[in-house]
Amino acid sequence: MLKGRSLVEPEDFSLEEMELLFSLAEKIEKDEKYLRESCRGRLLATLFFEPSTRTRLSFEAAMLRLGGSCLGFAEPGSSSAVKGESLADTIRMAASYADAIVMRNPKEGAALLASRYSTVPVINAGDGGHHHPTQTLTDLLTIKRLSGNIGNMTVGFCGDLKFGRTVHSLAKALARYKNISMVFISPEELVLPEYIKSILKKQNVQYIESENLEKSIGELDVLYMTRVQRERFFNEDDYIRLKDTYVLNSDRMAAGKEKLIVLHPLPRVNEISVEVDTDPRAAYFKQAKYGMYVRMALLSSILGAE
Ligand code: CP
């Protein structure tokens, strides 16, 4: 069903297609040998024009675990982009060497452009402050695994909601599920962009905006913490002023529900104290591992093995 398809933003896949990926990922989680040889002889190009730990390594681990191989670069300084090669030409080259391309790029819209020039599937691993659809698959799978289903819940997003591409992708994706309320907690300077709010309004999603984590935490079933991203600020003083606005610590967790699920796409800086890591409600490291399973499911599906 997904064979040969690109993934630029979460809506590129239907809810049924995402469910299929989640059930494949759950099978892989139960039996890590499942689909092990399904990408034997296939090549994945990972083109990272921005730093990454989880996304790049989990895609590469996924491909290697499926029996395939990887090539690519982890920073643009080692590619001919520094000589002035256009993204379109870089993509044409990668598409002629590999069977699929995973790309992270600081420019919004770069993944869409790449998908138009590529003859093989392109997976968006983050385009500036725009989207990060495989993080969304990871987040949804984690919510499904830990709470049994996706729906009938209140999800809070906290931190940098302006530049946070994982927030934009996840809010849009959750809007497609039944009875999800959202609470957007951020300083005034980092509120959710209007275009995401208008999508939520069109889909009749109930949401409120707040500047106060303490007041909202008790209402939440899922709390999605995010980092204030230094790399997206034009002015260092603004970053320094805003970076520690919200710090989730044990005192704040005390006001949360017993079954609260705390997620974070990671990396974290100061926004979650390390003392929270041992709280059973902290799910962010589990979430990162689910990311590898869902990327295995995705690669085997788009490369036509499943
Ligand atoms: N969540 C995420 O995208 O992490 P990396 O930046 O380490 O890939």
Side-chain angles (χ1 to χ4, degrees):
M1 195 153 59
L2 296 178
K3 186 174 178 178
R5 300 255 298 271
S6 288
L7 177 59
V8 173
E9 54 180 277
E11 291 90 330
D12 289 344
F13 291 172
S14 67
L15 288 185
E16 292 72 24
E17 288 165 339
M18 291 202 293
E19 274 305 314
L20 200 80
L21 290 178
F22 300 150
S23 72
L24 263 185
E26 286 175 41
K27 281 187 197 164
I28 297 167
E29 184 196 352
K30 282 198 191 102
D31 172 11
E32 291 197 358
K33 291 199 185 88
Y34 186 66
L35 298 178
R36 182 163 263 185
E37 291 300 311
S38 64
C39 287
R40 174 72 54 205
R42 300 302 189 90
L43 261 177
L44 178 69
T46 55
L47 312 183
F48 278 69
F49 294 86
E50 267 193 338
S52 166
T53 296
R54 274 146 295 276
T55 311
R56 188 173 66 84
L57 295 186
S58 65
F59 262 115
E60 293 185 359
M63 192 60 178
L64 295 171
R65 281 169 177 253
L66 295 169
S69 306
C70 305
L71 74 169
F73 51 83
E75 47 107 10
S78 63
S79 79
S80 285
V82 288
K83 301 177 201 161
E85 185 166 54
S86 69
L87 180 61
D89 286 358
T90 303
I91 292 297
R92 283 188 180 106
M93 293 302 98
S96 67
Y97 304 143
D99 299 299
I101 296 169
V102 173
M103 184 184 77
R104 171 170 291 183
N105 193 288
K107 293 199 177 128
E108 285 86 0
L112 181 62
L113 183 143
S115 71
R116 290 185 175 156
Y117 283 92
S118 180
T119 51
V120 300
V122 171
I123 300 170
N124 182 7
D127 60 329
H130 199 209
H131 284 299
H132 192 347
T134 64
Q135 181 64 48
T136 302
L137 292 174
T138 301
D139 303 337
L140 293 174
L141 173 63
T142 309
I143 294 171
K144 185 169 189 283
R145 287 286 290 107
L146 300 184
S147 69
N149 70 343
I150 307 166
N152 303 314
M153 53 179 56
T154 302
V155 180
F157 296 85
C158 180
D160 176 359
L161 311 186
K162 179 180 180 183
F163 299 113
R165 59 193 172 202
T166 62
V167 170
H168 306 161
S169 287
L170 182 57
K172 279 175 72 182
L174 283 171
R176 300 160 84 192
Y177 288 87
K178 288 208 175 84
N179 199 15
I180 303 257
S181 309
M182 303 188 199
V183 182
F184 295 106
I185 306 155
S186 72
E188 203 184 337
E189 293 93 332
L190 296 176
V191 295
L192 195 71
E194 282 304 323
Y195 85 95
I196 301 285
K197 287 188 224 170
S198 64
I199 291 168
L200 300 181
K201 279 177 199 149
K202 259 190 214 145
Q203 294 184 242
N204 294 318
V205 174
Q206 297 291 317
Y207 74 86
I208 57 165
E209 293 181 280
S210 162
E211 291 191 36
N212 194 319
L213 175 60
E214 286 90 334
K215 271 194 190 154
S216 305
I217 193 167
E219 308 295 314
L220 308 177
D221 300 297
V222 176
L223 170 58
Y224 195 88
M225 292 296 294
T226 62
R227 170 178 70 98
V228 174
Q229 302 174 80
R230 178 179 228 142
E231 65 272 29
R232 310 270 177 238
F233 280 80
F234 292 111
N235 181 336
E236 180 75 2
D237 291 343
D238 286 344
Y239 167 71
I240 290 166
R241 186 167 50 80
L242 295 169
K243 71 185 173 70
D244 293 326
T245 311
Y246 304 104
V247 178
L248 184 65
N249 56 21
S250 297
D251 287 346
R252 296 204 169 107
M253 286 293 285
K257 289 184 183 174
E258 193 189 331
K259 293 204 167 164
L260 173 68
I261 298 170
V262 179
L263 302 181
H264 191 309
L266 304 177
R268 67 146 158 217
V269 187
N270 291 327
E271 61 280 1
I272 302 181
S273 302
V274 289
E275 67 195 21
V276 176
D277 296 355
T278 50
D279 188 307
R281 297 169 292 177
Y284 29 92
F285 294 120
K286 242 181 241 173
Q287 179 186 2
K289 186 148 193 189
Y290 287 136
M292 181 183 71
Y293 295 134
V294 86
R295 288 176 178 116
M296 288 175 79
L298 176 66
L299 288 174
S300 65
S301 300
I302 68 163
L303 288 170
E306 174 66 14

